């Protein structure tokens, strides 16, 4: 990990990340795109991409008065965890700090006066403006925090079990791998209080109950706070999706996780910025336009329940329903990840794809990846 000084490399990094996030937004923002054949729409990832964009805009403003910025050049290509923590801390103290800095209009007037009187550039005032703009942005925008609280984004009823089924999302920025991760979990709820309200006698979702989606937290209010705490403690990259699902199944007797997906964004490969794959960046150096010399990868991991062991109610003791999660042991990578299934993806600008193709490196580099080539406003998949 190296310090990226305040120079053209900084501008190049932020413009590269902006292009990569815009490309991801194009890809995930297609209204008919889903995770797998019957999975949830990828549109649910867009709010988290917005948070990432807000964070990068804030970091870029922060450089204006701190003068340096660190990224995990040899690992993920994303900012180191310290930057994420600093953003969160600054957000918490933004109101107090802003009260001590004059507004931008007044600072700019002082700058003009300083230049006219002193005949030199007022660096200190410029830094104050940068800090003011940074704090205003951090205070106003939703940033990608170390942990982003769960949100219920969809509700339905499983016609077989007649239970309410929630699609819940949350996110975390892993401090060790320096990778942002987004979780999407499909969870059935057998608690009597919500079933009575949400499920009609014929086993359908009660249309008379207005649910203003998305809802902050788990839809079941009695479990919402505990569920927040659980997700905060069970979202590290070092935990496999199977471990997270098993822990959830154990800790919440009336919640039944049917599927947990984890979307791990990164690594990012970029010429002149990252050192995480020498061969890739070596070929990217040949791309004519530096703004197109990058590759953004991501991995979608999923663990799903293959069957449910029904609850046993005895006179002296009872056992809640438990899930049997499928781990694909025939695939060593899936077994290592602790998942039922996984997909690796790579988003590549057209220029970069052409350079990799010309070097005969598409198969060696992207052997088990699904490749998506971005050209203008189009994304062509499965090239």
């Amino acid at each position: 990990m190296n310090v990226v000084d305040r120079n053209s490399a900084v501008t190049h990094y932020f413009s590269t990340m902006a292009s990569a996030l815009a490309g991801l937004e194009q890809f995930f923002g297609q209204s008919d795109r889903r995770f797998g054949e019957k999975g949830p729409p990828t549109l649910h990832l867009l709010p988290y991409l917005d948070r990432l964009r807000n964070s990068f805009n804030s970091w870029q403003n922060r450089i204006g008065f701190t003068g340096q910025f660190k990224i995990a050049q040899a690992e993920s290509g994303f900012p180191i965890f310290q930057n994420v923590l600093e953003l969160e801390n600054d957000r918490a103290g933004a109101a107090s700090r802003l009260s001590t800095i004059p507004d931008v209009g007044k600072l700019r007037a002082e700058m003009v006066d300083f230049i006219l009187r002193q005949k030199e550039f007022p660096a200190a005032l410029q830094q104050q403006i940068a800090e003011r703009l940074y704090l205003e942005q951090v205070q106003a925008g939703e940033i990608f925090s170390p942990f982003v609280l769960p949100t219920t984004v969809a509700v339905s009823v499983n016609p077989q079990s007649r239970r309410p089924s929630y699609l819940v999302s949350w996110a975390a920025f892993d401090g060790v791998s320096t990778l942002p991760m987004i979780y999407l979990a499909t969870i059935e709820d057998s608690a009597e209080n919500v079933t009575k309200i949400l499920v009609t006698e014929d086993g359908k979702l009660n249309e008379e109950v207005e649910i203003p989606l998305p809802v902050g937290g788990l839809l079941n209010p009695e479990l919402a706070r505990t569920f927040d705490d659980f997700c905060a403690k069970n979202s590290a990259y070092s935990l496999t999706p199977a471990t997270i699902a098993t822990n959830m199944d154990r800790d919440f007797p009336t919640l039944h996780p049917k599927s947990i997906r984890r979307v791990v964004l990164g690594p990012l490969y970029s010429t002149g910025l990252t050192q995480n794959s020498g061969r890739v960046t070596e070929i990217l150096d040949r791309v004519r336009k530096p703004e197109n010399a990058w590759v953004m990868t991501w991995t979608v991991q999923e663990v799903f329940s293959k069957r449910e062991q029904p609850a046993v109610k005895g006179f002296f003791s009872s056992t809640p329903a438990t899930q049997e999660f499928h781990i694909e042991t025939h695939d060593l990578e899936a077994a290592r990840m602790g998942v039922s299934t996984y997909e690796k993806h790579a988003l590549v600008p057209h220029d970069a794809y052409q350079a990799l193709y010309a070097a005969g490196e598409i198969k060696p580099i992207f052997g088990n990846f699904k490749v998506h080539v971005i050209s203008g406003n189009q994304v062509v998949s499965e090239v």
Side-chain angles (χ1 to χ4, degrees):
M1 257 174 311
N2 296 328
V3 174
V4 180
D5 296 317
R6 191 183 173 195
N7 55 23
S8 60
V10 173
T11 306
H12 177 36
Y13 177 73
F14 283 104
S15 64
T16 296
M17 194 56 87
S19 296
L21 291 175
L24 288 174
E25 191 172 54
Q26 253 179 278
F27 179 80
F28 291 125
Q30 295 175 22
S31 57
D32 58 343
R33 191 179 292 283
R34 307 183 83 83
F35 290 104
E37 285 182 24
K38 297 178 181 176
T42 58
L43 287 166
H44 293 305
L45 265 57
L46 296 186
Y48 299 101
L49 295 181
D50 280 343
R51 283 178 174 272
L52 272 176
R53 186 180 292 105
N54 289 339
S55 288
F56 278 100
N57 288 340
S58 299
W59 281 319
Q60 195 164 12
N61 278 334
R62 196 175 196 276
I63 289 169
F65 62 95
T66 61
Q68 62 180 36
F69 187 68
K70 293 180 182 178
I71 67 170
Q73 286 181 292
E75 291 91 20
S76 70
F78 276 83
I80 65 165
F81 193 51
Q82 184 63 31
N83 292 306
V84 182
L85 292 175
E86 284 170 354
L87 213 59
E88 186 71 5
N89 288 337
D90 289 345
R91 185 183 67 81
S96 170
R97 181 75 186 115
L98 279 167
S99 67
T100 68
I101 304 173
D103 65 54
V104 172
K106 188 175 180 183
L107 288 170
R108 283 191 175 134
E110 284 183 33
M111 279 183 74
V112 172
D113 184 58
F114 186 95
I115 291 167
L116 292 173
R117 283 189 297 104
Q118 306 290 336
K119 307 292 189 236
E120 58 183 69
F121 188 77
L125 287 169
Q126 179 63 33
Q127 285 188 346
Q128 273 197 299
I129 288 177
E131 186 175 4
R132 173 98 208 174
L133 291 172
Y134 163 74
L135 291 168
E136 285 176 352
Q137 188 168 41
V138 168
Q139 189 181 43
E142 292 191 312
I143 56 175
F144 204 104
S145 304
F147 173 67
V148 182
L149 286 164
T151 302
T152 302
V153 294
V155 184
S156 58
V157 171
N158 181 335
Q160 276 78 45
S161 64
R162 294 198 166 199
R163 294 173 182 157
S165 178
Y166 315 135
L167 180 63
V168 185
S169 70
W170 69 94
F173 194 104
D174 189 73
V176 177
S177 65
T178 61
L179 292 167
M181 304 174 298
I182 302 156
Y183 288 87
L184 284 167
T186 301
I187 304 165
E188 291 184 14
D189 191 345
S190 59
E192 285 184 24
N193 63 326
V194 289
T195 304
K196 206 174 284 183
I197 296 166
L198 296 177
V199 185
T200 60
E201 286 183 13
D202 57 352
K204 293 179 180 174
L205 188 65
N206 189 347
E207 301 291 344
E208 292 180 12
V209 178
E210 284 188 36
I211 305 170
L213 294 170
V215 172
L218 188 77
L219 194 60
N220 185 331
E222 290 181 10
L223 298 177
R225 187 174 290 242
T226 320
F227 188 81
D228 286 351
D229 292 341
F230 171 87
C231 292
K233 292 170 186 168
N234 287 268
S235 294
Y237 182 67
S238 58
L239 295 176
T240 67
T243 299
I244 296 168
T246 302
N247 290 349
M248 187 184 295
D249 194 40
R250 180 200 63 213
D251 289 2
F252 297 92
T254 60
L255 293 183
H256 314 283
K258 296 299 179 180
S259 163
I260 293 182
R261 280 181 178 82
R262 177 164 69 187
V263 182
V264 184
L265 296 177
L268 168 79
Y269 305 93
S270 177
T271 183
L273 294 172
T274 61
Q275 303 153 1
N276 41 14
S277 178
R279 186 62 183 142
V280 177
T281 50
E282 183 188 316
I283 296 163
L284 290 176
D285 282 341
R286 301 173 199 168
V287 177
R288 287 180 301 109
K289 297 179 179 177
E291 64 267 27
N292 291 334
W294 55 267
V295 174
M296 173 64 88
T297 64
W298 71 95
T299 305
V300 181
Q301 304 169 323
E302 183 192 7
V303 64
F304 57 77
S305 170
K306 58 184 176 181
R307 70 177 66 88
E308 180 177 297
Q309 291 289 347
V312 177
K313 292 185 179 177
F315 190 76
F316 293 106
S317 65
S318 57
T319 308
T322 54
Q323 308 302 309
E324 286 185 33
F325 297 105
H326 173 65
I327 303 298
E328 187 47 77
T329 53
H330 297 299
D331 185 321
L332 288 175
E333 184 85 351
R336 183 186 64 78
M337 290 183 188
V339 296
S340 314
T341 181
Y342 70 94
E343 287 180 354
K344 291 186 173 184
H345 296 261
L347 184 70
V348 191
H350 189 255
D351 286 5
Y353 183 82
Q354 282 186 316
L356 291 162
Y357 185 83
E361 293 286 349
I362 296 295
K363 276 251 171 84
I365 290 171
F366 299 121
N368 63 340
F369 281 74
K370 294 188 175 182
V371 181
H372 315 282
V373 178
I374 185 165
S375 180
N377 293 323
Q378 284 191 313
V379 178
V380 181
S381 297
E382 301 296 337
V383 179

